[in-house]
Amino acid sequence: MSSRDRGAHVAESRAGDAGDAGPPVAWGKLAEHAPDGMAVIDPDGLFVQLNAAGAALCARPAEDLVGTPAPFELAQRSPAGTLGLLDGATEQVCVWAPAAGQRREFAYRTCPLSGDPSMAVVAFRDVTAERQRQRRVAAIARSSVKLASEGSITATLDALAGEVLQADALAGVQIMTLDESGQALQIMGSAGFRRWPDFFHRLVECRERGAVLTMMDAFERGQPVVVPDRWASIRQDPSWEPLHEYLGELEWDWFASVPLIIRGRSAGILNAFFAPGQIVGRPTVEFLLAMAEQAAVAVDYASLLQNERELARREERQRLARDLHDSIVQQVFSIGMQAKSMGVLGARGESVPAESVRGIAEEVGVLSRTVLADLRAMVHELRPATSAQLGLEEAVRALVESTRNRTGLRFDVIAGAGLDRVPPEMAEDVYRIVAEALHNVVKHAEAKVVTLCLRVREHALAVTVADDGRGVRGESAEGQDPARGYGLVSMRERAERWGGTARVRPLPAGGTSVRAVIPLPALVPHAALSRPERLDGPTEEPTP
């Protein structure tokens, strides 16, 4: 019996079953008046019969659907390996494509047909809008998380474009931002499209031919622009010929462009290319605006971060200039004065006492060794790859050795197990924290002994630099925390980049302690790491 014959048979044989109590479910008048879609499916998964609501949901006449495959999954494999009807109490979700480019999602339940358990009755409803809202909310939430990642701005915007693409099943997405000159746009994120290095050259050529760039309207006016049937008009427009191949790689129809607004000004645009059959309504535009706002936050954050880095570089150069003037320049000046003294003595034509020559030579030797030690210390500070090349422990020990040779300070270095597992970028920031702390000890502490401790304690890296110097004083007359002048700002920012903390405090016995605690990434195997004592107190037992 064919599916169409089954449909007629079911309609006749079940018409009087409306009064049957409880499942198995009858068809009859109950199905005809049900607000949800209902369908009878045969063992081969083909439509046998549909009610009016079901045919409307499927967007096709019932007589055209009978005998065609239904989208519903009816069977599931039991633990014993046999196939059985899906549990009707559990709502399932499937996808239905009534026509090319159209997509609907149905939530459905199944149960056996009364009198013929080989067939199933399926009750289903359209949940496309509901699930789309859920995907959009999830996409916005995931994009917010991605903003906190340490990836490049390109990687972040690529990820955001991918979220937009997947949430609404779009054909393609582009995110463009202003370049450094602020005069031209550049593609910084995309999904669906492959990379075309000469895309903007072709786009300029299209504009020179007379093509209308609707995305520039969105950028210049700071308002969303939606263009129905955009691909059809572009395909027929000869001025767009340089980009026909690029734009023709995707199956799309409508187009929307929304601006990226930063502090009231357009800083870029998000272009959305919609699959055939997709209609852009108000909820869609609101979602694109929300994702464009996330992209704008990412662009603004990257710009602020770049400005902070430039400021940090300028401050570092100024600090090095001060150090050069305070130490090396003065020492080289002293060497020059000693050499001039030797020249004056030699110019007299008289015999120079050996003791005077030896004294001057020793002074020049001491000064030259001090200059060499200072220069080596600065080289250590200027080599950004030190910790990455040597490993954190070796880089810190090299820095300590240089500081010892230069200043005569005594060091006690305590390094626990697991330091080699600290990620290179994190190790670089930790190295800089230690370098800043040691610089402050040399500059301000008037200390004799420094104790440096690096420990990995299960979930975190703890770094302590303690000295026996004059310590951190109380608040100044201006009410400012002197710890800020002790280099805490720079150290704290480096620690906070990884979700950690950095603190400066006086020690009870005198001196100062700089302590940074930085959480380790989850990929570090905690079981392989040691749990030594803390420098400034006992180790707490881990929470079970």
Side-chain angles (χ1 to χ4, degrees):
M1 182 182 297
S2 69
S3 293
R4 294 185 182 275
D5 293 336
R6 286 196 190 100
H9 174 70
V10 167
E12 294 171 0
S13 62
R14 304 304 174 196
D17 287 345
D20 290 355
V25 175
W27 183 258
K29 294 183 179 179
L30 177 64
E32 293 176 8
H33 299 287
D36 288 342
M38 295 190 72
V40 177
I41 310 298
D42 70 9
D44 297 324
L46 305 179
F47 283 114
V48 174
Q49 191 170 356
L50 293 93
N51 68 350
L57 289 175
C58 292
R60 291 171 60 184
E63 56 270 21
D64 291 348
L65 290 167
V66 172
T68 63
F72 314 110
E73 183 71 31
L74 303 180
Q76 65 178 356
R77 190 170 298 279
S78 69
T82 59
L83 291 175
L85 197 65
L86 279 169
D87 179 10
T90 304
E91 192 170 63
Q92 311 292 323
V93 177
C94 66
V95 176
W96 171 254
Q102 298 182 14
R103 184 179 185 273
R104 294 185 179 179
E105 294 181 77
F106 295 152
Y108 67 95
R109 288 186 171 89
T110 65
C111 61
L113 180 67
S114 175
D116 190 352
S118 66
M119 291 196 285
V121 173
V122 180
F124 59 102
R125 59 191 177 89
D126 190 347
V127 293
T128 305
E130 176 185 342
R131 287 177 62 82
Q132 189 174 55
R133 282 195 298 270
Q134 293 173 354
R135 283 193 297 270
R136 287 172 174 176
V137 171
I140 293 172
R142 284 193 299 268
S143 67
S144 298
V145 173
K146 288 180 173 64
L147 295 184
S149 70
E150 294 301 323
S152 66
I153 183 61
T154 302
T156 300
L157 294 183
D158 273 341
L160 291 182
E163 293 289 354
V164 178
L165 186 84
Q166 294 176 15
D168 273 18
L170 302 184
V173 177
Q174 294 173 330
I175 299 178
M176 302 182 184
T177 65
L178 289 172
D179 62 10
E180 292 183 359
S181 69
Q183 302 299 317
L185 290 169
Q186 57 188 347
I187 295 180
M188 293 296 287
S190 68
F193 290 101
R194 66 185 176 92
R195 299 284 185 182
W196 273 46
D198 61 344
F199 169 79
F200 274 101
H201 294 293
R202 291 172 181 252
L203 187 64
V204 170
E205 184 179 350
C206 291
R207 192 169 194 176
E208 291 174 348
R209 289 174 171 223
V212 177
L213 307 185
T214 55
M215 68 178 185
M216 295 309 299
D217 292 338
F219 178 81
E220 292 169 358
R221 298 197 331 240
Q223 296 292 330
V225 172
V226 178
V227 186
D229 306 319
R230 180 60 170 160
W231 173 231
S233 63
I234 287 178
R235 191 170 53 236
Q236 298 168 7
D237 188 345
S239 63
W240 281 97
E241 192 276 332
L243 279 176
H244 278 169
E245 181 184 356
Y246 173 79
L247 296 173
E249 289 183 348
L250 302 181
E251 292 290 332
W252 66 287
D253 190 3
W254 283 38
F255 172 81
S257 184
V258 296
L260 275 59
I261 304 297
I262 298 177
R263 297 181 182 87
R265 300 182 62 182
S266 294
I269 47 177
L270 186 153
N271 294 329
F273 299 77
F274 292 84
Q278 290 180 323
I279 305 300
V280 183
R282 182 173 181 176
T284 301
V285 174
E286 289 175 350
F287 169 63
L288 294 178
L289 284 169
M291 295 302 286
E293 183 177 353
Q294 297 289 322
V297 171
V299 173
D300 193 29
Y301 173 77
S303 176
L304 291 174
L305 187 60
Q306 180 63 27
N307 290 339
E308 287 182 2
R309 286 173 176 166
E310 290 297 331
L311 177 61
R313 291 190 187 102
R314 288 196 297 270
E315 291 177 347
E316 183 71 8
R317 287 194 292 268
Q318 291 171 1
R319 186 180 71 81
L320 288 171
R322 287 194 301 269
D323 289 349
L324 282 168
H325 179 268
D326 293 345
S327 60
I328 296 176
V329 171
Q330 294 181 11
Q331 292 160 5
V332 171
F333 178 77
S334 297
I335 291 174
M337 291 299 294
Q338 296 292 348
K340 187 174 182 180
S341 299
M342 291 284 288
V344 170
L345 290 174
R348 290 178 180 176
E350 303 173 358
S351 61
V352 180
E355 295 162 355
S356 299
V357 173
R358 279 197 302 269
I360 293 174
E362 288 175 2
E363 182 66 20
V364 169
V366 169
L367 289 170
S368 63
R369 287 192 295 272
T370 303
V371 169
L372 183 59
D374 284 345
L375 286 172
R376 284 174 175 170
M378 289 185 178
V379 168
H380 273 293
E381 293 186 18
L382 289 171
R383 288 172 60 191
T386 297
S387 59
Q389 293 174 346
L390 301 179
L392 178 58
E393 181 179 352
E394 288 303 315
V396 168
R397 289 188 181 278
L399 178 63
V400 166
E401 183 64 24
S402 171
T403 307
R404 177 190 289 118
N405 293 337
R406 178 166 54 98
T407 64
L409 278 170
R410 288 198 297 113
F411 283 89
D412 290 331
V413 179
I414 305 168
L419 295 176
D420 57 332
R421 305 187 186 198
V422 177
E425 289 187 2
M426 179 187 290
E428 180 62 33
D429 276 329
V430 173
Y431 174 84
R432 294 301 181 187
I433 290 172
V434 173
E436 181 65 30
L438 292 183
H439 172 79
N440 288 326
V441 170
V442 173
K443 194 83 172 176
H444 306 290
E446 300 177 5
K448 295 181 180 179
V449 179
V450 178
T451 303
L452 199 158
C453 182
L454 299 96
R455 302 283 199 184
V456 175
R457 298 181 54 239
E458 294 191 347
H459 301 290
L461 171 66
V463 180
T464 306
V465 179
D467 65 69
D468 63 349
R470 60 192 179 102
V472 179
R473 302 287 186 262
E475 287 195 353
S476 64
E478 292 80 11
Q480 295 181 347
D481 182 1
R484 294 180 62 85
Y486 201 77
L488 176 61
V489 173
S490 171
M491 293 184 283
R492 184 172 59 201
E493 287 177 350
R494 291 186 183 276
E496 289 177 350
R497 177 189 177 194
W498 304 96
T501 59
R503 294 185 176 89
V504 177
R505 62 184 180 85
L507 293 175
T512 303
S513 170
V514 176
R515 181 170 175 80
V517 179
I518 301 175
L520 287 172
L523 55 84
V524 177
H526 299 151
L529 306 181
S530 63
R531 292 170 42 218
E533 299 80 25
R534 293 187 347 195
L535 180 67
D536 56 351
T539 301
E540 300 93 358
E541 287 299 317
T543 303

PDB file of all heavy atoms in Angstrom, residues 46 118 184 231 271 388 413 471:
ATOM      1  N   LEU A  46       7.570   8.460   5.954  1.00  0.00           N
ATOM      2  CA  LEU A  46       6.883   9.287   4.971  1.00  0.00           C
ATOM      3  C   LEU A  46       5.580   9.820   5.550  1.00  0.00           C
ATOM      4  O   LEU A  46       4.930   9.180   6.381  1.00  0.00           O
ATOM      5  CB  LEU A  46       6.591   8.475   3.702  1.00  0.00           C
ATOM      6  CG  LEU A  46       7.789   7.794   3.032  1.00  0.00           C
ATOM      7  CD1 LEU A  46       7.328   7.010   1.820  1.00  0.00           C
ATOM      8  CD2 LEU A  46       8.863   8.807   2.656  1.00  0.00           C
ATOM      9  N   SER A 118       2.482   0.365  13.945  1.00  0.00           N
ATOM     10  CA  SER A 118       3.623   0.519  13.032  1.00  0.00           C
ATOM     11  C   SER A 118       3.752   1.956  12.540  1.00  0.00           C
ATOM     12  O   SER A 118       4.795   2.355  12.060  1.00  0.00           O
ATOM     13  CB  SER A 118       3.465  -0.416  11.835  1.00  0.00           C
ATOM     14  OG  SER A 118       2.345  -0.027  11.034  1.00  0.00           O
ATOM     15  N   ALA A 184      40.621  55.139   5.595  1.00  0.00           N
ATOM     16  CA  ALA A 184      40.173  54.029   4.746  1.00  0.00           C
ATOM     17  C   ALA A 184      39.720  52.862   5.609  1.00  0.00           C
ATOM     18  O   ALA A 184      40.167  52.691   6.745  1.00  0.00           O
ATOM     19  CB  ALA A 184      41.303  53.583   3.811  1.00  0.00           C
ATOM     20  N   TRP A 231      21.839  41.022  -4.141  1.00  0.00           N
ATOM     21  CA  TRP A 231      22.707  40.266  -5.042  1.00  0.00           C
ATOM     22  C   TRP A 231      22.151  40.283  -6.469  1.00  0.00           C
ATOM     23  O   TRP A 231      22.904  40.361  -7.440  1.00  0.00           O
ATOM     24  CB  TRP A 231      22.880  38.842  -4.552  1.00  0.00           C
ATOM     25  CG  TRP A 231      23.619  37.937  -5.499  1.00  0.00           C
ATOM     26  CD1 TRP A 231      23.234  36.714  -5.936  1.00  0.00           C
ATOM     27  CD2 TRP A 231      24.890  38.183  -6.127  1.00  0.00           C
ATOM     28  NE1 TRP A 231      24.163  36.179  -6.800  1.00  0.00           N
ATOM     29  CE2 TRP A 231      25.195  37.062  -6.936  1.00  0.00           C
ATOM     30  CE3 TRP A 231      25.783  39.243  -6.099  1.00  0.00           C
ATOM     31  CZ2 TRP A 231      26.352  36.975  -7.690  1.00  0.00           C
ATOM     32  CZ3 TRP A 231      26.952  39.160  -6.869  1.00  0.00           C
ATOM     33  CH2 TRP A 231      27.229  38.035  -7.640  1.00  0.00           C
ATOM     34  N   ASN A 271      28.839  44.030   7.867  1.00  0.00           N
ATOM     35  CA  ASN A 271      28.033  43.693   6.700  1.00  0.00           C
ATOM     36  C   ASN A 271      27.520  42.270   6.829  1.00  0.00           C
ATOM     37  O   ASN A 271      28.300  41.349   7.097  1.00  0.00           O
ATOM     38  CB  ASN A 271      28.845  43.822   5.409  1.00  0.00           C
ATOM     39  CG  ASN A 271      29.249  45.251   5.119  1.00  0.00           C
ATOM     40  OD1 ASN A 271      28.536  46.189   5.478  1.00  0.00           O
ATOM     41  ND2 ASN A 271      30.383  45.434   4.458  1.00  0.00           N
ATOM     42  N   ALA A 388      61.374  34.080  27.548  1.00  0.00           N
ATOM     43  CA  ALA A 388      60.906  33.084  26.593  1.00  0.00           C
ATOM     44  C   ALA A 388      62.046  32.188  26.131  1.00  0.00           C
ATOM     45  O   ALA A 388      61.870  30.999  25.903  1.00  0.00           O
ATOM     46  CB  ALA A 388      60.245  33.773  25.394  1.00  0.00           C
ATOM     47  N   VAL A 413      67.767  33.179  46.452  1.00  0.00           N
ATOM     48  CA  VAL A 413      66.770  32.853  45.426  1.00  0.00           C
ATOM     49  C   VAL A 413      66.179  31.481  45.729  1.00  0.00           C
ATOM     50  O   VAL A 413      66.917  30.493  45.861  1.00  0.00           O
ATOM     51  CB  VAL A 413      67.378  32.873  44.011  1.00  0.00           C
ATOM     52  CG1 VAL A 413      66.323  32.505  42.975  1.00  0.00           C
ATOM     53  CG2 VAL A 413      67.976  34.236  43.702  1.00  0.00           C
ATOM     54  N   GLY A 471      62.125  50.163  54.098  1.00  0.00           N
ATOM     55  CA  GLY A 471      60.697  49.885  54.117  1.00  0.00           C
ATOM     56  C   GLY A 471      59.854  50.976  53.480  1.00  0.00           C
ATOM     57  O   GLY A 471      60.331  52.082  53.202  1.00  0.00           O
TER      58      GLY A 471
END
